[in-house]
Amino acid sequence: MDSTKNTAKLAGLLYLILTICGLFNLLYVPSKIMVHEDAAATAKNIIANEFLFRTSTICDILSNITFIFLALVLYRLLKQVNERQANTMVVLVLVQIPVVFIMEALNISSLMIFKGEILKSFELNQRQDVAMSFLKINSSMTLTLEVFWGLWLIPFGQLVYKSSFIPRILGILLILGGIAYLIESFTGLLLPKDVSTVNQFTFVFYSLAEISTMLWLLIKGVKSSYK
């Protein structure tokens, strides 16, 4: 039981790191840099905050490495519940990683274009348009990634619900959080004008699910049994 509790606390710590990096990359950095439909202002912000922009790239890479280790630690913790579902959970995490590296390549390329390091023969407004296109592609790929952010939570939630050492309510919340991610992703892809409205509701579900689970694993770990 001591070994299992330590594994749970390690998972909670990794989840905490992942959460902090996610909030930094998805909320803080865009608020300081991105100006909707204004390539010139966005270019100015990125160049003025180049270190912040590069930091977000490093943070995103490190967070996804952390994500891999989190999945493996959770697999170790939950494989006794259902090994097939635990394998599915890990696979749904691993398939996301190549996409992230493509997205970071687009980010760095956009920075280089804004700074005039590549596409030097293009006019300034042309370079800005190309760089903004890369950033918009990145944003669309984030919506696609949200499908997998949701899908991995569903087997994770099922495993938590079936386990006897983590509260079942957390399993229910994780499944609902996974569904919320899927709703947000599909809304963004099908009805992009409505995604901000939908996000006000879906954000509550997946944030509550993941933060509650992270805090429980980090602080409480596991006990002999839960009903």
Side-chain angles (χ1 to χ4, degrees):
M1 180 53 63
D2 287 342
S3 176
T4 302
K5 189 169 186 176
N6 290 336
T7 301
K9 286 183 175 292
L10 175 58
L13 177 61
L14 293 170
Y15 222 144
L16 175 62
I17 296 171
L18 186 64
T19 300
I20 293 172
C21 288
L23 292 174
F24 178 75
N25 281 337
L26 296 175
L27 297 179
Y28 179 75
V29 175
S31 71
K32 297 295 182 180
I33 290 177
M34 298 300 296
V35 180
H36 185 64
E37 298 297 337
D38 192 333
T42 299
K44 182 179 178 181
N45 288 342
I46 288 178
I47 294 171
N49 298 278
E50 181 178 347
F51 183 77
L52 177 65
F53 189 78
R54 290 183 180 275
T55 300
S56 71
T57 297
I58 296 297
C59 187
D60 206 19
I61 292 171
L62 291 177
S63 70
N64 279 275
I65 293 172
T66 302
F67 200 5
I68 294 172
F69 283 105
L70 172 61
L72 296 175
V73 172
L74 288 173
Y75 173 82
R76 179 181 177 186
L77 179 68
L78 296 167
K79 67 178 180 179
Q80 59 183 298
V81 178
N82 186 306
E83 190 167 5
R84 180 178 60 81
Q85 287 183 332
N87 284 328
T88 301
M89 175 186 68
V90 172
V91 169
L92 288 171
V93 170
L94 294 180
V95 295
Q96 304 175 41
I97 307 305
V99 179
V100 173
F101 284 94
I102 294 172
M103 292 170 65
E104 296 313 318
L106 290 173
N107 274 340
I108 294 299
S109 297
S110 66
L111 173 61
M112 295 173 68
I113 294 170
F114 279 135
K115 292 178 67 179
E117 295 177 352
I118 55 177
L119 301 182
K120 296 180 180 180
S121 61
F122 284 38
E123 297 292 333
L124 177 60
N125 63 331
Q126 292 176 320
R127 291 203 309 269
Q128 290 177 345
D129 286 342
V130 172
M132 282 299 293
S133 296
F134 283 178
L135 294 177
K136 288 179 180 179
I137 291 170
N138 192 309
S139 179
S140 297
M141 293 176 75
T142 299
L143 284 173
T144 305
L145 270 183
E146 283 191 11
V147 173
F148 293 97
W149 294 349
L151 288 176
W152 94 278
L153 287 181
I154 294 174
F156 180 23
Q158 290 174 324
L159 289 164
V160 168
Y161 183 82
K162 293 176 182 177
S163 73
S164 60
F165 45 82
I166 303 175
R168 284 187 170 183
I169 184 61
L170 294 179
I172 296 172
L173 288 175
L174 286 168
I175 293 171
L176 292 176
I179 294 170
Y181 268 124
L182 293 174
I183 291 172
E184 183 174 302
S185 175
F186 292 145
T187 301
L189 294 171
L190 294 172
L191 304 166
K193 293 182 179 179
D194 298 325
V195 69
S196 59
T197 302
V198 172
N199 175 255
Q200 296 176 21
F201 300 96
T202 55
F203 180 79
V204 173
F205 283 95
Y206 56 70
S207 297
L208 178 62
E210 297 200 82
I211 292 174
S212 298
T213 303
M214 177 268 291
L215 290 174
W216 187 274
L217 292 172
L218 183 62
I219 298 171
K220 293 289 188 178
V222 296
K223 291 187 178 180
S224 57
S225 65
Y226 283 99
K227 298 297 183 182

